[in-house]
């Protein structure tokens, strides 16, 4: 699907859905495309930002570039590093900015990293903030980061891919405190996460506040193949959108979101977001109430991180082997639950924190009984460790 004549309904559908998504972000104009996943959306952002700063790089490649540097937080998604590697920028040129104890990027540290990079003779060009980090569900302070980017003339991208559907949730009766991304130059948004749209469904959105973005995707990626994109067709050739991406044929990912949106409406989608927050609140209170469960930190979003402390370790917090022993609990329980076939949940360490469980509840069909079973099963499987 790359020209209007091949897929007229789907082309118009995609344009309409992208416009609605931009509206939810807070933009009245701009551009965008559906991409094969949030990692690719982040990669598109890096590539478009590089082209915007150095348009000669499209033809002359890296020979036309200084040594580029981009910035993301230590808690950012690994796709930023992958994108830098894939695009020839190099992972050594990704500066990971320090975060606070909740996993949020520290704007003052970002500014120091930018100044340090310039002092070293490199060229900063791109900053990625995250709204809902993968592990802790942290929201970087977007306004302060936007100020830093504006002062230094850097492209400001927001990775909304992990979970956030802030524009929908903001209109709910009890809106969660999700910062929106209106000042960003670009946004990656994954409806296949919190809205539970069928895989895959990821949107890459561009803001256009100055007219400079109009046609940017086309100029960055277009090859103008004459057998597809003839300029003298009888219809408006701006509807031949296939040349705006590195792909040629693409799946009709917008159809999945369009159908769901039509079926449940904006309020129905907002209720999915509200339900996820309600499930997280319930699970959090249950973790606090039950013996042997311990929060890693109070959740800010739908990411619940916790330890299960088996009876054999309770009351031994001061012993030197407590934390090393606790770090072995989550992997052992995960092995047992997978071999039993009862459920599956992720675990991981983070910094100095030993392995903990990370539960993200976004499925709208999950009930309180399901959440009770989840905690009960952890207790059953780990009670004798």
């Amino acid at each position: 699907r790359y020209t209007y004549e091949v897929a007229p309904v789907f082309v118009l559908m995609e344009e309409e859905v992208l416009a609605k998504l931009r509206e939810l972000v807070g933009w009245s104009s701009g551009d965008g495309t559906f991409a094969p996943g949030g990692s690719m959306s982040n990669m598109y952002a890096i590539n478009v930002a590089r082209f915007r700063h150095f348009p000669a790089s499209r033809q002359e490649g890296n020979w036309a570039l200084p040594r580029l540097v981009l910035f993301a937080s230590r808690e950012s998604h690994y796709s930023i590093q992958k994108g830098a590697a894939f695009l020839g920028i190099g992972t050594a040129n990704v500066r990971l900015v320090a975060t606070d104890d909740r996993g949020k990027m520290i704007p003052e540290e970002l500014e120091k990293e930018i100044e340090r990079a310039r002092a070293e003779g490199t060229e900063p060009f791109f900053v990625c903030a995250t709204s809902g980090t993968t592990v802790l569900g942290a929201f970087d302070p977007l306004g302060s980061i936007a100020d830093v980017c504006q002062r230094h003339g850097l492209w400001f991208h927001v990775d909304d891919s992990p979970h956030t559907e802030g524009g929908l949730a903001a209109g709910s009766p009890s809106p969660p405190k999700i910062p929106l991304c209106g000042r960003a130059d670009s946004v990656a948004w994954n409806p296949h996460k919190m809205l539970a749209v069928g895989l895959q469904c990821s949107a890459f959105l561009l803001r256009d506040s100055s007219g400079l973005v109009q046609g940017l995707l086309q100029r960055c990626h277009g090859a103008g193949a004459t057998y597809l994109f003839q300029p003298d067709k009888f219809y408006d050739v701006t509807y031949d959108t296939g040349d705006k991406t590195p792909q040629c044929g693409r799946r009709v990912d917008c159809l999945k979101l369009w159908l769901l949106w039509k079926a449940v409406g904006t309020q129905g989608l907002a209720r999915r977001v509200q339900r996820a927050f309600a499930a997280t609140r319930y699970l959090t209170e249950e973790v606090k109430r039950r013996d042997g469960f311990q929060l890693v930190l109070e959740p800010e979003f739908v990411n619940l991180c916790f330890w299960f402390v088996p009876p054999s370790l309770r009351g031994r917090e001061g012993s030197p082997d407590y934390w090393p022993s606790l770090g072995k609990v989550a992997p052992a329980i995960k092995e047992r639950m997978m071999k039993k076939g009862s459920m599956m949940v992720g675990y991981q360490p983070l910094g100095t924190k030993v392995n903990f469980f990370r539960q993200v509840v976004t499925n709208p069909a999950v009930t309180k009984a399901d959440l009770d079973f989840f905690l009960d099963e952890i207790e059953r499987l780990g009670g004798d460790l």
Side-chain angles (χ1 to χ4, degrees):
R1 185 179 63 81
Y2 35 82
T3 63
Y4 178 77
E5 59 197 296
V6 169
V9 173
F10 293 143
V11 166
L12 296 177
M13 186 181 291
E14 182 174 67
E15 291 300 297
E16 181 68 17
V17 171
L18 288 169
K20 291 296 291 184
L21 292 178
R22 290 194 299 268
E23 181 183 316
L24 290 173
V25 172
W27 300 336
S28 58
S29 60
D31 201 354
T33 185
F34 279 83
S39 293
M40 292 301 297
S41 291
N42 287 336
M43 196 179 300
Y44 283 8
I46 298 171
N47 197 43
V48 168
R50 178 172 64 178
F51 174 77
R52 174 70 183 83
H53 281 275
F54 303 98
S57 64
R58 172 185 159 86
Q59 182 174 354
E60 299 176 28
N62 289 338
W63 299 104
L65 296 172
R67 181 173 178 178
L68 300 181
V69 172
L70 60 94
F71 306 85
S73 87
R74 289 177 182 170
E75 300 299 317
S76 61
H77 194 258
Y78 62 81
S79 61
I80 302 302
Q81 303 246 20
K82 282 194 171 187
F86 187 81
L87 294 168
I89 294 168
T91 58
N93 296 311
V94 178
R95 304 291 175 92
L96 297 179
V97 181
T99 57
D100 63 17
D101 57 0
R102 292 206 60 93
K104 303 170 185 282
M105 183 191 291
I106 303 172
E108 295 77 11
E109 292 300 315
L110 170 63
E111 191 136 37
K112 289 177 185 177
E113 289 291 345
I114 293 169
E115 291 167 353
R116 184 178 298 117
R118 288 208 164 112
E120 293 171 356
T122 59
E123 185 69 32
F125 77 105
F126 177 91
V127 173
C128 176
T130 309
S131 280
T133 58
T134 306
V135 179
L136 298 179
F139 291 86
D140 290 339
L142 303 184
S144 299
I145 294 172
D147 292 340
V148 173
C149 292
Q150 186 173 1
R151 280 197 296 273
H152 292 274
L154 307 184
W155 185 280
F156 178 32
H157 174 67
V158 175
D159 180 10
D160 252 2
S161 297
H163 311 291
T164 312
E165 312 298 347
L168 291 166
S172 66
S174 301
K177 295 179 179 179
I178 299 178
L180 301 181
C181 333
R183 293 178 64 190
D185 295 297
S186 59
V187 168
W189 189 342
N190 274 13
H192 69 226
K193 292 286 181 64
M194 203 163 179
L195 296 186
V197 177
L199 282 169
Q200 62 196 28
C201 187
S202 174
F204 173 60
L205 307 174
L206 283 168
R207 177 172 63 98
D208 187 12
S209 60
S210 61
L212 296 175
V213 166
Q214 195 62 37
L216 187 61
L217 281 172
Q218 176 71 37
R219 297 196 305 276
C220 180
H221 297 134
T226 55
Y227 70 96
L228 292 175
F229 305 109
Q230 302 92 338
D232 52 356
K233 292 178 179 178
F234 68 92
Y235 59 80
D236 183 354
V237 295
T238 60
Y239 288 120
D240 288 350
T241 55
D243 218 17
K244 294 198 298 186
T245 78
Q247 299 172 262
C248 183
R250 292 186 293 137
R251 292 182 179 273
V252 190
D253 293 329
C254 70
L255 175 62
K256 306 164 193 174
L257 178 54
W258 186 91
L259 283 173
L260 179 62
W261 213 329
K262 281 290 185 182
V264 305
T266 299
Q267 287 304 310
L269 293 179
R271 282 192 292 271
R272 290 192 171 199
V273 179
Q274 296 157 26
R275 188 178 178 88
F277 276 89
T280 304
R281 287 193 296 269
Y282 175 79
L283 200 56
T284 300
E285 292 308 311
E286 284 296 301
V287 165
K288 291 178 179 178
R289 184 183 66 81
R290 295 183 181 222
D291 291 338
F293 288 87
Q294 181 182 341
L295 288 175
V296 174
L297 78 172
E298 193 77 25
E300 182 180 20
F301 192 42
V302 294
N303 301 51
L304 181 65
C305 301
F306 65 93
W307 289 288
F308 174 69
V309 184
S312 64
L313 289 177
R314 294 173 198 173
R316 294 177 50 196
E317 288 81 0
S319 63
D321 67 335
Y322 175 78
W323 289 108
S325 298
L326 184 59
K328 299 175 182 177
V329 171
I333 293 176
K334 171 77 176 277
E335 178 183 353
R336 289 180 176 185
M337 69 174 60
M338 291 187 70
K339 288 180 176 178
K340 182 181 176 183
S342 58
M343 60 185 187
M344 188 162 61
V345 62
Y347 73 87
Q348 70 170 88
L350 182 68
T352 60
K353 297 178 175 63
V354 299
N355 285 319
F356 53 84
F357 289 111
R358 180 174 63 89
Q359 176 67 296
V360 181
V361 182
T362 57
N363 187 333
V366 167
T367 65
K368 287 183 178 179
D370 296 324
L371 300 177
D372 290 338
F373 171 81
F374 168 68
L375 296 180
D376 290 343
E377 185 72 349
I378 287 176
E379 286 188 276
R380 279 193 294 268
L381 295 173
D384 64 342
L385 292 174

